[in-house]
Amino acid sequence: RPQKKKAETSVTPMKFLTDLWAARISLTLIAAIQLDIFTAIAQGRKTAADIARAIKANTHGVERLLEALTSIGYLTKRGNQFALTPIADTFLVRTKPSFIGSMADEGLMTLEGWMKLADVIKTGKSVASIDSSEGREFFPRLVKAIFPLTYNPARALVRAIPESKLKKIERVLDVAA
């Protein structure tokens, strides 16, 4: 019986490049959240010039950021008008109760440590001690940054518990903490 040849596949560097450049996407998103781009659009500003005025930034720089946000799926564009995608509208508009953009602060807070990962692995030493003034400042900021991500699910969990059982609960153990 003749052997079938396996389909030849070419190996490309795309996975490596995508993974390597992922930090750039994160930093683009963090900049947009810091500048309140999504909130400005939700408030009716649609063009780069209008958004730039609203956030008091350079129009050319804002336009480049808006194009980047469009390419990574947080905005849509028709002509010179930008609009929010459902994920941006739901989670990245600061005035909405579902806003979780403060997670961007966590990214910035931990970035310096991630930049030292190779040294940490090589030496086995932590970037910073949690039992230091730096650690005591870090953790309250971290909790503030990640709180919105867990708040709504926690509320949904409480609503799912029958009232009769809820009244009997005296203590809660937060295992993830």
Side-chain angles (χ1 to χ4, degrees):
R1 208 171 176 186
Q3 281 188 316
K4 290 184 181 180
K5 286 187 177 181
K6 288 184 181 179
E8 289 188 32
T9 58
S10 61
V11 176
T12 72
M14 287 315 297
K15 175 162 178 41
F16 169 70
L17 295 174
T18 300
D19 292 346
L20 188 63
W21 291 337
R24 295 171 188 179
I25 293 172
S26 298
L27 294 170
T28 298
L29 192 52
I30 289 169
I33 292 165
Q34 287 178 317
L35 294 169
D36 239 352
I37 295 285
F38 304 108
T39 304
I41 295 171
Q43 292 170 341
R45 285 129 180 142
K46 304 294 182 196
T47 66
D50 288 342
I51 296 164
R53 268 192 299 282
I55 66 169
K56 297 176 177 59
N58 175 276
T59 301
H60 182 68
V62 167
E63 188 170 30
R64 291 171 103 57
L65 179 57
L66 295 171
E67 294 290 349
L69 292 167
T70 301
S71 74
I72 61 174
Y74 289 91
L75 299 179
T76 61
K77 183 180 180 187
R78 182 171 291 173
N80 69 344
Q81 307 265 313
F82 292 89
L84 301 173
T85 60
I87 194 166
D89 188 41
T90 303
F91 298 115
L92 301 177
V93 175
R94 194 173 301 276
T95 54
K96 292 192 173 186
S98 55
F99 176 74
I100 59 171
S102 60
M103 284 293 296
D105 294 337
E106 184 274 341
L108 289 176
M109 289 169 52
T110 60
L111 184 61
E112 186 178 338
W114 283 106
M115 299 292 291
K116 298 175 182 174
L117 182 59
D119 290 335
V120 168
I121 292 169
K122 190 173 180 179
T123 65
K125 295 181 182 176
S126 297
V127 173
S129 170
I130 59 170
D131 294 328
S132 66
S133 62
E134 184 181 347
R136 286 187 288 279
E137 290 174 20
F138 175 82
F139 284 100
R141 288 179 52 214
L142 178 64
V143 169
K144 185 178 178 184
I146 64 175
F147 177 79
L149 186 64
T150 58
Y151 179 69
N152 285 330
R155 288 181 53 183
L157 175 63
V158 170
R159 286 192 300 271
I161 300 172
E163 188 69 31
S164 60
K165 291 189 182 218
L166 199 56
K167 289 181 180 182
K168 294 178 185 177
I169 296 174
E170 293 180 20
R171 295 181 193 172
V172 174
L173 173 61
D174 184 349
V175 177

